[in-house]
Amino acid sequence: MSYSADITIIGAGVIGLAIASQVTREGREVYVLEKNEAFGQEQSSRNSEVIHAGIYYERDSLKTKMCLEGNRLLYELCEKNGIAYKKCGKIIVATNDVEAEELEKLYRRGKDNGVLLKMLSKREMRQLELKLKGLAAFFSPTTGIVDSYALMRYFLGKAKGNGAQIAYNTKAIGIEKVSGGYKVKVEDLSGDFSFMTRVVINCAGLYSDKVAEMVGINIDEANYKLHWCKGEYYSVSGGRNKLINRLIYPMPTSISVGVHVCLDVNWRLRLGPLFYYVNEINYKVDDSRKKTFLESSIMKALPFMEPSDLEPETSGIIAMLQGEGEGFRDFVIKHEYDRGLPGFINLVGIESPGLTSSPAIASYVSHLVNETLESEKDCL
Ligand SMILES: Cc1cc2nc3c(=O)[nH]c(=O)nc-3n(C[C@H](O)[C@H](O)[C@H](O)COP(=O)(O)OP(=O)(O)OC[C@H]3O[C@@H](n4cnc5c(N)ncnc54)[C@H](O)[C@@H]3O)c2cc1C
């Protein structure tokens, strides 16, 4: 059977692009399909751009492993390739007794994960952030921020330089398992057509459960059903944005790291994201939630902020495996050969810290792809 592609990647967000930059090599036909007219228009450009350190999750989770490795790789990559970043560090602060107890546990978890952390005295806290109010806090020096657009542009350039072809306005609408690979049906501006590929890598972000379904996976049984969670940001004006020098985080909530101080590489300051579950994609910031925003822990840690300083700004929607009221779910990164789908690799629920983890996820997936293509060669 002759193939049009060796590897087809569905989705040109940071994950699809990072993978494309690693799996492309001489002699391999690699296609990246993207339904939008440009790369990175969904989760990858609507986030906090934080390079996480690996504090929050269990040591054995993929989230922690990928985050720790991604953190290291990302700083190296930014430094080598001129991608804007700042290793500004972050403070996690507790504003009451209950939070202070939790803070201690979080600090220990981070340390267990091997993250460099420092408990701060009240004096040290004030030295780092004069205006910060809190009962207890610790500092994470390896947390930072990255220009996510520049990072994606770098991955894209590398992938294209290695021969990958990126097809925009091209949506995968059907996938059929056939002998020796997959028949992928796509829809572009001129209509629809199908082509053959040996490997499919599903990096479809918010729609990765739907793409998994296309190949016949029962997503309820597989536990791949995604829940969308919207995170809203507020910009800070009135000169108060000049009063903070680094990332400041409250204690995490059950679904996120909490409304925090976000800075970008140009030192633009925002607060957010305030997350809540949604059923549709609509990026308009719902101003009626401002009251909840003002009651969040971060506002107690920054008492100098006035409600009138905060203006609704942007939002992002994240692909969560964890439904409302449910417990922790890890990233799913899985070669589906045990479902009778050799060469089909699913990435589902790649939420935060997905941006940080992107280079580590790319090399993990690259190994899976090499194993698949090598074992096929052995069978010839
Ligand atoms: C509000 C928010 C804050 C966050 N903060 C951070 C942070 O500070 N640090 C961090 O590390 N992570 C953070 N994240 C998580 C991070 O942004 C994501 O993990 C990461 O961007 C996921 O990238 P992706 O490529 O998987 O998904 P996406 O960027 O969503 O890309 C998926 C792509 O697939 C395309 N696609 C979907 N279906 C199809 C189809 N059928 N055919 C063709 N193309 C298709 C989409 O158009 C899209 O371009 C945050 C996320 C959000 C939403």
Side-chain angles (χ1 to χ4, degrees), residues 10-16 33-36 38-52 170-173 203-207 211 214 229 231 233 249 260 273 275 315-318 350-357:
I10 302 175
V14 72
I15 300 296
L33 311 179
E34 172 51 57
K35 68 177 170 57
N36 294 329
F39 65 87
Q41 303 217 314
E42 300 195 351
Q43 296 174 94
S44 300
S45 56
R46 294 176 164 275
N47 57 57
S48 302
E49 301 192 302
V50 172
I51 303 177
H52 286 293
T170 305
K171 182 177 180 181
I173 54 170
C203 304
L206 294 165
Y207 306 92
V211 169
M214 283 178 199
C229 222
Y233 294 89
Y249 277 59
H260 55 267
F275 274 113
S315 75
I317 297 177
I318 200 162
I350 311 299
E351 39 122 345
S352 191
L355 178 69
T356 310
S357 305

Side-chain angles (χ1 to χ4, degrees), residues 13-259:
V14 72
I15 300 296
L17 294 174
I19 292 172
S21 75
Q22 291 229 5
V23 296
T24 35
R25 61 189 55 167
E26 214 175 308
R28 270 187 191 171
E29 279 289 331
V30 178
Y31 293 163
V32 182
L33 311 179
E34 172 51 57
K35 68 177 170 57
N36 294 329
E37 61 184 13
F39 65 87
Q41 303 217 314
E42 300 195 351
Q43 296 174 94
S44 300
S45 56
R46 294 176 164 275
N47 57 57
S48 302
E49 301 192 302
V50 172
I51 303 177
H52 286 293
I55 300 168
Y56 293 97
Y57 307 110
E58 297 288 341
R59 190 168 38 180
D60 290 340
S61 63
L62 264 182
K63 279 186 178 170
T64 295
K65 287 183 191 157
M66 295 294 134
C67 185
L68 290 172
E69 180 68 357
N71 176 290
R72 188 183 64 74
L73 292 172
L74 207 49
Y75 283 121
E76 266 177 31
L77 210 110
C78 290
E79 190 58 42
K80 253 201 208 153
N81 299 289
I83 300 163
Y85 75 99
K86 283 200 162 72
K87 202 172 184 174
C88 54
K90 87 168 171 187
I91 297 176
I92 303 189
V93 63
T95 54
N96 59 42
D97 289 330
V98 178
E99 285 182 3
E101 236 175 78
E102 291 300 312
L103 183 99
E104 183 76 37
K105 288 187 206 153
L106 189 62
Y107 174 78
R108 263 186 267 126
R109 170 171 287 177
K111 289 290 245 186
D112 282 351
N113 289 350
V115 182
L116 188 65
L117 297 175
K118 184 182 183 324
M119 226 7 136
L120 298 175
S121 66
K122 286 257 169 65
R123 197 170 61 91
E124 287 169 327
M125 208 163 107
R126 266 195 308 277
Q127 274 170 350
L128 287 177
E129 290 292 342
L130 189 63
K131 296 286 183 183
L132 181 64
K133 270 246 167 342
L135 276 187
F138 65 80
F139 182 58
S140 163
T142 57
T143 303
I145 39 186
V146 62
D147 179 341
S148 55
Y149 180 76
L151 178 67
M152 285 191 278
R153 220 178 31 204
Y154 163 76
F155 286 139
L156 176 72
K158 191 162 174 230
K160 280 166 89 171
N162 288 342
Q165 298 188 49
I166 321 284
Y168 295 115
N169 294 308
T170 305
K171 182 177 180 181
I173 54 170
I175 305 169
E176 189 190 337
K177 168 86 191 78
V178 291
S179 168
Y182 296 86
K183 188 169 156 192
V184 180
K185 187 172 183 189
V186 297
E187 188 178 72
D188 69 7
L189 298 177
S190 58
D192 57 59
F193 63 96
S194 299
F195 65 93
M196 302 296 296
T197 181
R198 283 198 274 177
V199 170
V200 176
I201 309 176
N202 169 13
C203 304
L206 294 165
Y207 306 92
S208 48
D209 56 346
K210 298 284 177 295
V211 169
E213 215 166 27
M214 283 178 199
V215 76
I217 295 176
N218 179 325
I219 58 168
D220 291 315
E221 276 172 21
N223 245 330
Y224 287 177
K225 198 169 170 34
L226 286 174
H227 307 270
W228 292 344
C229 222
K230 182 171 176 179
E232 297 182 331
Y233 294 89
Y234 281 69
S235 62
V236 180
S237 59
R240 321 258 181 210
N241 47 346
K242 308 267 165 22
L243 299 173
I244 298 169
N245 300 303
R246 49 184 64 70
L247 299 166
I248 301 175
Y249 277 59
M251 289 305 295
T253 69
S254 60
I255 53 166
S256 82
V257 288
V259 173

Side-chain angles (χ1 to χ4, degrees), residues 309-361:
D309 296 336
L310 303 185
E311 285 296 325
E313 205 216 38
T314 51
S315 75
I317 297 177
I318 200 162
M320 302 268 286
L321 282 163
Q322 184 185 345
E324 204 157 2
E326 295 173 2
F328 171 80
R329 289 291 307 275
D330 207 353
F331 290 155
V332 169
I333 305 177
K334 189 165 180 296
H335 183 190
E336 303 285 5
Y337 57 87
D338 58 346
R339 290 185 210 277
L341 299 169
F344 197 98
I345 299 169
N346 267 323
L347 291 95
V348 187
I350 311 299
E351 39 122 345
S352 191
L355 178 69
T356 310
S357 305
S358 54
I361 291 177

